Amino acid sequence: MLCLLRLLALLLVPVALGSPALASAQEVSLRGLGRFDGWRENALIGYGLVTGLAGSGDTRRSAVTRQALRNVLNRLGTTVTDDQISSRNVAVVMVIGTLPASANVGDRIDVTVSSIGDARSLAGGTLLMTPMLGPDQHPYALAQGALVAGGYSFESDLNQQQRNYPTTAMLQGGATVETAVNATILRSDGQLSFLLSDPSFGTAQRIAETVNNRFGFGSAIAKSADEVKIRYAGDPAQLTNFLAQIEALSVRPDRAPRVVVNERTGTIVAGGDVMISSVAISQGDIKVTIKAENIASQPNFYSGFASDVRSLIVTNTKLDVDDSVGDTVVSFPNTTVSDLVQGLSRARVNTRRMISILQAIKTAGALHADIIVQ
C-alpha cells in the first residue's frame, strides 16, 4: 500500500498545474425539471391465458389454470370437465402495462406478461385476448398476440438448461387502447400547477420569476419547494400553445450535493462541485493471512486387515501478520470529491477503499453532501 504522503503529492498535481474552474450550472428547460399536475401515466393490469407452449406450461396441480381454460372454452361454446383438461401447453399469467396520459382509441401500448403458475417457460406462447383494467376497474385496453420471451428453459432426463428468465415475456405493441383518455391540466379557477421532480425552493423561485418575465408580473408564484402556480386567463383553445411556451423556458436549477456509491459494482458518481473541507486521514494496512494444510496420517501394519484402525487427519495452521510500514497521517486542504477520487485513482487505490474513505470523511463532517449507497 502506498503511503498517503505519496498519495497527497499525486492528489495535488492537478491543482499545481492549474485545474480548470468548476463549470457553472447550465440552464435547463422546464420540460426536464418536472411536469404539470394532472399529466401522468396510469397503470393497467390484466389476468389472462397463454397457449401454444411446448409442454412447458402449468401442470395439473394448478387448479387456477384449469379453471381459467374451462372458462375460456365455455365462452367459446365448448363445455369441458375438469378431468378432460390435462394439457401442459397452457399457462395462466398476469399482464401489466402503462396507459399514457393522453391516448386515443386504437393506439397501441407495450405490455409485460408474467407467469403466476408453475410454468417453466412462456417461450413460443400466444396471449389470448385479455382486458387491461385501470385502478377504477374499468377496461381501457385489450392485449393479445405472440410473446417474445428472450430466454429458454429445456429439461430432459433430469438435465436442464436455462437462459435468462423465460417465465416473463414482452408483447411489443400488443395492447390496443379501447377507451380514450385525456389529462385535465387546467383547473376550473384558471390555475396550472407545475410540479418539480427535484424539490428546491431556489429552483421554484427562479421558475416563477422566469414565467413572470415572459408573461407578465403575477403570472406565476412559487407555492412551495415542489410546486409553482401559473395563472392562465387566455382562450382554452390556445392552452396547448401556452403550455409549449412554458416548457420551452429555461432556468438554472439548484443541484443537491450528492455522492452515489454502488459497493457491489464499485461505482462512485459525484458532482464536480461537491466540496470536502480540510481533513486529516490516517491510513493503515494490516494484512492477515491464514494458511491451513490437512495431512492424512496413515497407520502402518504389515499384514491382515484391522477393522478398528482409521486414518488420522491432522490440520496444521500457519498465521502470518504483515504490518505495513511507512503509514502516514496527512492533511488534505479544501478540495472536491472529483479531485480526491482522481488522486486516489492515480495512487492505485481500488474503488471499494475509496468508498470507505468517503464514508469516513462524511462521518467526520468534512464531506458536504449526502452519500447514497445503492
Side-chain angles (χ1 to χ4, degrees), residues 4-5 8 12 26 28 34 41 45 85 111 114 146 194 204 219-220 232 236 254 277 335 338 344-345 356 366:
L4 286 187
L5 186 60
L8 178 60
L12 295 180
Q26 298 180 350
V28 180
E41 297 178 339
I45 189 170
I85 300 177
V111 296
S114 301
F194 185 81
S219 299
Y232 178 70
D254 291 337
S277 299
T335 185
S338 176
L344 294 174
S345 299
S356 299

Side-chain angles (χ1 to χ4, degrees), residues 79-123:
T79 303
V80 294
T81 63
D82 188 71
D83 296 336
Q84 294 174 321
I85 300 177
S86 61
S87 174
R88 287 209 61 184
N89 296 342
V90 181
V92 63
V93 295
M94 298 299 294
V95 186
I96 60 173
T98 301
L99 186 67
S102 179
N104 300 311
V105 176
D107 291 349
R108 305 192 69 86
I109 59 177
D110 300 337
V111 296
T112 302
V113 181
S114 301
S115 170
I116 60 175
D118 54 0
R120 295 194 307 265
S121 174
L122 298 180

Side-chain angles (χ1 to χ4, degrees), residues 17-314:
L17 295 178
S19 59
L22 294 176
S24 58
Q26 298 180 350
E27 292 189 347
V28 180
S29 64
L30 266 64
R31 187 181 298 106
L33 296 179
R35 62 178 179 86
F36 290 101
D37 187 20
W39 187 265
R40 48 159 294 177
E41 297 178 339
N42 299 276
L44 298 178
I45 189 170
Y47 168 80
L49 208 61
V50 172
T51 61
L53 304 176
S56 61
D58 296 336
T59 64
R60 279 191 54 84
R61 293 191 301 269
S62 178
V64 178
T65 305
R66 298 197 307 271
Q67 179 182 354
L69 181 58
R70 191 167 57 250
N71 293 340
V72 171
L73 294 177
N74 289 339
R75 288 198 300 267
L76 296 177
T78 301
T79 303
V80 294
T81 63
D82 188 71
D83 296 336
Q84 294 174 321
I85 300 177
S86 61
S87 174
R88 287 209 61 184
N89 296 342
V90 181
V92 63
V93 295
M94 298 299 294
V95 186
I96 60 173
T98 301
L99 186 67
S102 179
N104 300 311
V105 176
D107 291 349
R108 305 192 69 86
I109 59 177
D110 300 337
V111 296
T112 302
V113 181
S114 301
S115 170
I116 60 175
D118 54 0
R120 295 194 307 265
S121 174
L122 298 180
T126 301
L127 176 69
L128 301 184
M129 184 182 298
T130 303
M132 305 287 292
L133 308 179
D136 55 0
Q137 298 301 310
H138 288 91
Y140 287 90
L142 289 177
Q144 179 173 277
L147 303 180
V148 178
Y152 58 79
S153 177
F154 298 103
E155 183 177 353
S156 178
D157 297 333
L158 300 180
N159 295 320
Q160 182 178 8
Q161 286 191 356
Q162 178 174 326
R163 179 182 179 185
N164 297 334
Y165 298 94
T167 53
T168 298
M170 291 293 299
L171 198 56
Q172 301 290 338
T176 305
V177 176
E178 300 296 333
T179 302
V181 293
N182 191 15
T184 302
I185 299 177
L186 182 62
R187 299 179 180 177
S188 58
D189 57 355
Q191 296 281 341
L192 300 168
S193 291
F194 185 81
L195 306 178
L196 279 71
S197 302
D198 192 2
S200 170
F201 290 103
T203 303
Q205 184 60 35
R206 280 190 288 273
I207 291 176
E209 293 175 355
T210 302
V211 174
N212 288 329
N213 293 335
R214 174 65 177 82
F215 298 99
F217 180 78
S219 299
I221 182 173
K223 183 179 179 181
S224 62
D226 60 352
E227 184 179 8
V228 178
K229 291 287 188 179
I230 302 176
R231 181 175 57 86
Y232 178 70
D235 185 2
Q238 299 297 322
L239 178 61
T240 301
N241 182 34
F242 179 75
L243 296 177
Q245 296 182 55
I246 292 291
E247 288 186 336
L249 298 177
S250 299
V251 298
R252 178 177 56 82
D254 291 337
R255 182 168 56 185
R258 293 172 182 166
V259 179
V260 181
V261 297
N262 191 320
E263 196 168 358
R264 297 187 303 273
T265 60
T267 303
I268 300 176
V269 179
D273 55 350
V274 178
M275 299 300 299
I276 297 178
S277 299
S278 298
V279 63
I281 300 178
S282 175
Q283 177 69 48
D285 188 10
I286 298 178
K287 181 180 180 181
V288 179
T289 303
I290 300 177
K291 296 181 180 179
E293 182 179 2
N294 296 324
I295 301 176
S297 177
Q298 186 68 30
N300 295 324
F301 55 92
Y302 296 97
S303 64
F305 177 78
S307 59
D308 58 344
V309 177
R310 297 289 185 270
S311 299
L312 178 62
I313 304 298
V314 179

Side-chain angles (χ1 to χ4, degrees), residues 1-7 281-285 322-330:
M1 178 65 184
L2 296 175
C3 67
L4 286 187
L5 186 60
R6 179 182 176 188
L7 189 150
I281 300 178
S282 175
Q283 177 69 48
D285 188 10
D322 181 13
D323 191 358
S324 61
V325 297
D327 295 335
T328 310
V329 179
V330 295

